[in-house]
Amino acid sequence: MSDPARPADECGSRKRVTNYGTGRTALLDAAVRVVARGGLRKLTYRAVAEEAGVTHGLVAHHFGSRDALIEESVNHAIRSSLRVNALNTGTGTARDFAADLGAMVASGPDVQAFQYELLLEARRRPELMPQLRALYEEYFDAAQRELSRALARPVDRGLSRLVFAALEGLVLHQLVFGEREVTEEALTELRKLLARLSDEDTDHPAKG
């Protein structure tokens, strides 16, 4: 097994490649994996070519410049993440809130790792902030919307951000340490808290 911390450019020979698909999307998927392992500073034509099992020239042909490669990789990772957003699943009740969170991390760790790398990189490269902000606004809106459904009442920004921060912490913990069972245990407790809030709202409806 190769060392995941070792940059692709430093490998002595071309790695044996599993078929990840063909064309531009396959190169963008390879770029996401490169960044997940080494951060945006390791995102080069050579690294993506090594990861995808193609020539350096093919990557250059598709993207033209390293800045274009970075921009399209960021957009691709954001689209991939939004497609599997665990907050957009469930029946709208407290008992299955964020039901697919653990599975989302387990099935797409590279996309999740890419996002955390992007968070750190955006502090050094302000030009990445608009895309990052747009992504997180989607997350914030989804959290607020699903909480409102689960509690059957409007939810303010403070509560929705608090819950989202808990979910994001669980994602990071599972990404780094594994332990999906811890994620599921924590989600069970979170759902119990939400159910209690829902019951309290039912027992003590807000006065008009």
Side-chain angles (χ1 to χ4, degrees):
M1 179 178 293
S2 62
D3 182 357
R6 188 181 182 190
D9 325 35
E10 297 177 5
C11 294
S13 60
R14 183 176 300 282
K15 64 191 289 187
R16 184 166 62 86
V17 177
T18 304
N19 181 16
Y20 293 114
T22 59
R24 194 183 194 87
T25 298
L27 296 179
L28 290 171
D29 288 338
V32 167
R33 295 193 295 274
V34 168
V35 173
R37 288 198 303 270
L40 277 171
R41 68 188 184 281
K42 296 296 184 182
L43 186 58
T44 64
Y45 289 163
R46 188 176 302 279
V48 172
E50 180 75 23
E51 179 67 29
V54 300
T55 65
H56 173 281
L58 181 63
V59 182
H61 168 74
H62 274 287
F63 301 103
S65 70
R66 183 172 182 271
D67 284 344
L69 174 60
I70 291 173
E71 181 178 356
E72 293 201 40
S73 298
V74 169
N75 287 333
H76 177 68
I78 287 173
R79 289 193 302 269
S80 298
S81 182
L82 292 175
R83 279 197 301 270
V84 296
N85 184 0
L87 289 169
N88 288 326
T89 61
T91 62
T93 61
R95 68 175 176 274
D96 63 357
F97 181 77
D100 293 337
L101 189 73
M104 179 193 74
V105 181
S107 64
D110 289 339
V111 171
Q112 304 306 317
F114 188 106
Q115 287 182 202
Y116 289 114
E117 291 291 342
L118 183 59
L119 280 168
L120 295 174
E121 191 66 22
R123 298 185 72 245
R124 298 182 287 267
R125 299 181 52 154
E127 66 271 19
L128 296 174
M129 190 59 71
Q131 292 160 296
L132 185 63
R133 170 59 68 176
L135 170 64
Y136 271 78
E137 287 297 337
E138 292 268 5
Y139 287 157
F140 296 152
D141 288 347
Q144 193 164 21
R145 181 174 60 252
E146 291 305 304
L147 278 171
S148 295
R149 293 178 65 202
L151 299 180
R153 65 169 173 83
V155 171
D156 61 26
R157 182 172 65 179
L159 177 57
S160 64
R161 291 291 180 90
L162 174 63
V163 172
F164 178 81
L167 297 178
E168 187 168 43
L170 291 175
V171 169
L172 181 58
H173 185 281
Q174 185 176 331
L175 185 65
V176 174
F177 299 109
E179 301 179 340
R180 179 175 170 181
E181 69 279 5
V182 176
T183 300
E184 300 302 341
E185 290 168 10
L187 286 172
T188 296
E189 295 304 316
L190 175 60
R191 291 175 190 127
K192 289 178 182 177
L193 292 173
L194 294 178
R196 289 173 191 164
L197 281 176
S198 180
D199 290 343
E200 288 174 7
D201 288 340
T202 300
D203 294 339
H204 305 287
K207 294 182 179 179

